[in-house]
Amino acid sequence: MNKTARAAGVEQTAADPAWRLGLSGPAGERSLSRDELVALGLVRAVVPIACVEGWSATATWDGVRVRDLAGLVGGTGREDVRVESLQQGGSYRESTLPAAYVAADDTLLALRLPGEDLDLDHGYPARVVAPNRPGVLQTKWVSRIVVLPRRGCGVSRARPTGPRRPADPAAPPGAARPASAVVRGARWVLVAGGAAAVAFGAWTAWSTVPRGQWTSVLAWLAGGVVVHDAVLAPLAIALGALVLPRVPPVWRAPLRGGLLAAGALAVLAVAVVAGAADRRHWSVVPQDPLPAIATAVLVVGAGVVVGAFLSAGRGTGGARRRSARRPSTPRPR
């Protein structure tokens, strides 16, 4: 949630020295002050906060693991928990923290930033921080944590009273865990590889393009952006709106990919055909480009057809598996 304490109406309740964290779970209920929470032992985690408005920031937090708090009232770390805020209204005054996040070492009920307590607008007296979770779900001004019953074995999840809250857009499917160190490392490797490729391309252009041709090169690059945004993108949107609703569902995703590939191919084809028509030397475009362009179009078309057949096969297979799992209904006698 990105509200200030004043906008959330918690300036007095959050700053009240009598604030206590309520815990509820299978083993009963407990109530802890900030001093009692600190006495449990604080751990430190570096967790980014990503806002749905587009910004993100990384901070170092000191707090108590949510898993340990759940354990004080009978939680095992394999249950979802509901986090409730002092805020009395709004869609995100409470959120559900899936079990995969509860079990993570760096999912905390944060009490401090290094060397200082949280600011009131930052969530004082306590807030939740969890890795790879949108900022609106990092509940501030926490008042209560409830360990929810585990699903399965005939036990249904307890539903909170009050207005229905929106679904958690960051909940991992099934028992998926938050991104591991390997995944985060792979992302940094990809970012570094992309940056290196861009730098190499820029250096190659700077070292090989004659200075007198830079004006025409920059004009061509800018023209590509204009053609994409002013011609190809509207054309692709129009084609998608006209074609996709009129074809069977199994064709829609492959056709969408095919139209995007055809658009990219068109940008390249314009430059190649123009170069071939105006070449001053055979080495500019050594062969007739039209057969190569036609071959590329055929490859894109074949990819659309293969994608549609694969999509249809997956749909048929899934229907068969669901039919096989569905118990048969005995006929009345």
Side-chain angles (χ1 to χ4, degrees):
M1 60 178 62
N2 54 4
K3 290 185 177 180
T4 64
R6 173 175 293 183
V10 299
E11 283 184 302
Q12 294 184 355
T13 53
D16 188 348
W19 172 90
R20 298 182 73 86
L21 173 71
L23 299 174
S24 179
E29 298 191 357
R30 290 191 61 175
S31 178
L32 300 172
S33 67
R34 269 182 60 91
D35 290 340
E36 289 170 329
L37 288 169
V38 172
L40 293 175
L42 301 184
V43 296
R44 179 164 291 183
V46 178
V47 179
I49 298 291
C51 182
V52 293
E53 295 173 350
W55 59 265
S56 63
T58 299
T60 301
W61 310 87
D62 293 333
V64 183
R65 290 192 177 101
V66 172
R67 178 182 66 208
D68 296 338
L69 293 172
L72 295 176
V73 288
T76 64
R78 296 191 295 272
E79 302 91 354
D80 297 353
V81 303
R82 186 172 72 246
V83 183
E84 300 176 2
S85 172
L86 292 170
Q87 182 180 346
Q88 295 303 306
S91 301
Y92 296 103
R93 68 161 299 272
E94 61 181 42
S95 66
T96 298
L97 197 61
Y101 288 103
V102 176
D105 289 340
D106 46 1
T107 297
L108 306 180
L109 181 73
L111 304 174
R112 296 174 176 171
L113 295 169
E116 60 180 341
D117 287 337
L118 294 176
D119 183 81
L120 193 59
D121 286 336
H122 219 168
Y124 181 89
R127 69 171 295 161
V128 166
V129 292
N132 305 305
R133 191 165 163 85
V136 293
L137 299 177
Q138 311 273 34
T139 305
K140 297 193 289 188
W141 313 296
V142 174
S143 63
R144 190 165 179 256
I145 294 177
V146 180
V147 180
L148 300 175
R150 294 179 64 189
R151 287 172 288 181
C153 302
V155 178
S156 61
R157 175 181 293 174
R159 293 183 179 270
T161 58
R164 184 185 180 97
R165 62 183 181 276
D168 185 346
R177 296 182 62 85
S180 64
V182 174
V183 174
R184 292 195 293 268
R187 290 173 181 167
W188 279 110
V189 169
L190 291 174
V191 169
V198 170
F200 178 76
W203 176 83
T204 302
W206 180 259
S207 59
T208 58
V209 175
R211 298 296 179 265
Q213 295 183 10
W214 268 104
T215 301
S216 59
V217 169
L218 293 175
W220 185 86
L221 292 174
V225 175
V226 172
V227 169
H228 176 274
D229 291 350
V231 180
L232 292 179
L235 182 61
I237 293 171
L239 284 175
L242 292 173
V243 175
L244 295 181
R246 293 172 172 77
V247 299
V250 295
W251 285 91
R252 291 174 186 170
L255 271 175
R256 191 179 295 114
L259 289 172
L260 291 174
L265 182 62
V267 173
L268 297 175
V270 168
V272 172
V273 171
D278 193 35
R279 60 185 171 186
R280 293 181 294 275
H281 191 268
W282 68 270
S283 63
V284 174
V285 181
Q287 297 178 351
D288 184 1
L290 294 182
I293 295 171
T295 301
V297 171
L298 290 175
V299 170
V300 171
V304 170
V305 173
V306 171
F309 276 107
L310 291 176
S311 179
R314 286 196 298 270
T316 304
R320 288 200 193 100
R321 289 191 294 273
R322 289 191 295 271
S323 177
R325 290 195 298 267
R326 188 180 299 121
S328 59
T329 304
R331 295 181 180 177
R333 296 183 179 179

